């Protein structure tokens, strides 16, 4: 994308929790794991990895939902919209549910994960697919490729 048109504003379905994004995503994803299927009530969940220093909750107090384990899934306490996730040991980014943005029209998943669990009919326009998560050492190359191709991938 030539111009990310930042900052982005967004919020939950009822509007009690609002957020602001001031930096572009590192990567965009669709996850087909059965946990994401159940939490999103859909074939997969969508996320945009946002650097933590460019992510801010500006209104309200999200609560922990999901399994209440190491992975912290944040929800609106009133409408229970699944808003974002903070993976354990990776506090440098937040996995934002892009449909929480006021304008998610730019979003397209660049990678898809857990295709080993995907529903047979589910498909995405992702450039890269993985049966599980990509190997940790692949993320540097993926984020670099995402940044380079975002100009055309999101045009």
């Amino acid at each position: 994308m030539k111009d990310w048109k930042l900052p982005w504003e967004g919020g939950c379905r009822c509007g009690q929790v609002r957020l602001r994004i001031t930096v572009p995503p590192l990567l965009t994803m669709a996850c087909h794991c059965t946990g994401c299927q159940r939490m999103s009530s859909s074939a997969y969940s969508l996320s945009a990895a946002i650097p933590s220093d460019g992510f801010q909750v500006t209104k309200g107090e999200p609560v922990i939902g999901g399994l209440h384990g190491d992975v912290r899934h944040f929800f609106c306490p009133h409408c229970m919209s699944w808003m974002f996730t903070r993976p354990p040991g990776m506090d440098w980014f937040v996995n934002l549910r892009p449909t929480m943005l006021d304008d998610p029209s730019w979003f397209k998943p660049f990678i898809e994960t857990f295709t080993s669990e995907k529903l047979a009919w589910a498909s995405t326009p992702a450039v890269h697919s993985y049966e599980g998560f990509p190997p940790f050492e692949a993320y540097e190359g993926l984020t670099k490729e995402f940044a380079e191709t975002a100009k055309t991938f999101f045009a």
Side-chain angles (χ1 to χ4, degrees):
M1 181 179 282
K2 293 176 183 149
D3 178 10
W4 286 103
K5 298 180 182 162
L6 296 163
W8 297 329
E9 303 286 334
C12 62
R13 186 171 185 183
C14 74
Q16 288 191 21
V17 178
R18 296 287 297 165
L19 47 87
R20 181 178 175 92
I21 309 300
T22 57
V23 297
L26 299 167
L27 199 60
T28 58
M29 300 155 277
C31 182
H32 295 276
C33 80
T34 54
C36 283
Q37 289 173 17
R38 289 179 178 154
M39 283 186 45
S40 66
S41 298
S42 186
Y44 47 80
S45 71
L46 300 174
S47 60
I50 306 293
S52 293
D53 62 356
F55 175 86
Q56 177 184 17
V57 174
T58 58
K59 177 184 171 190
E61 290 288 328
V63 296
I64 302 295
L67 294 176
H68 296 258
D70 289 341
V71 177
R72 299 288 187 212
H73 300 291
F74 289 85
F75 291 74
C76 168
H78 183 72
C79 68
M80 300 307 290
S81 297
W82 179 21
M83 300 185 72
F84 60 94
T85 299
R86 292 188 179 270
M90 298 184 220
D91 59 351
W92 47 275
F93 79 97
V94 174
N95 267 337
L96 170 70
R97 306 279 85 72
T99 52
M100 295 300 111
L101 296 171
D102 293 341
D103 180 11
S105 63
W106 62 269
F107 182 85
K108 231 190 280 188
F110 185 70
I111 69 169
E112 60 182 346
T113 59
F114 283 90
T115 59
S116 62
E117 298 178 18
K118 81 180 211 168
L119 300 174
W121 55 264
S123 64
T124 76
V127 175
H128 299 281
S129 296
Y130 297 91
E131 288 189 0
F133 284 122
F136 188 75
E137 58 274 6
Y139 282 99
E140 183 177 353
L142 287 168
T143 57
K144 185 176 181 181
E145 182 183 348
F146 174 79
E148 291 170 356
T149 62
K151 292 175 186 156
T152 57
F153 190 66
F154 295 98

